[in-house]
Amino acid sequence: MRKNMGNADRTIRLVVAAVLVVLYFSGVISGTLGLIGIVVAAIFTLTTILGYCPLYSLIGVKTCKVREV
């Protein structure tokens, strides 16, 4: 897997994940919507750590500025 996410994209995903987790645990979102939010937060966190988004690969998007050799 080559990185396909830039730093700005990774930062935005991490912030969104943190907001979703805070909203869930503070009780603002709950039930099915809350569980969907937690799953999305987990996916965003995992893709942020890896620097790779499978969906980006499928649609041909690359926000990373690293040159390929």
Side-chain angles (χ1 to χ4, degrees), residues 4-11 51 56 62-65:
N4 63 0
M5 291 173 52
N7 288 334
D9 191 13
R10 293 170 76 180
T11 302
Y56 280 7
K62 185 174 181 180
T63 61
C64 185
K65 299 212 187 305

Side-chain angles (χ1 to χ4, degrees), residues 37-61:
I38 289 297
V39 169
V40 168
I43 292 169
F44 277 9
T45 302
L46 181 63
T47 57
T48 297
I49 291 169
L50 296 176
Y52 176 78
C53 179
L55 183 60
Y56 280 7
S57 293
L58 289 175
I59 60 176
V61 173

Side-chain angles (χ1 to χ4, degrees), residues 7-44:
N7 288 334
D9 191 13
R10 293 170 76 180
T11 302
I12 291 168
R13 284 175 180 248
L14 196 57
V15 168
V16 169
V19 168
L20 288 172
V21 168
V22 167
L23 289 175
Y24 179 77
F25 285 110
S26 66
V28 175
I29 57 174
S30 61
T32 304
L33 182 61
L35 292 176
I36 291 171
I38 289 297
V39 169
V40 168
I43 292 169
F44 277 9

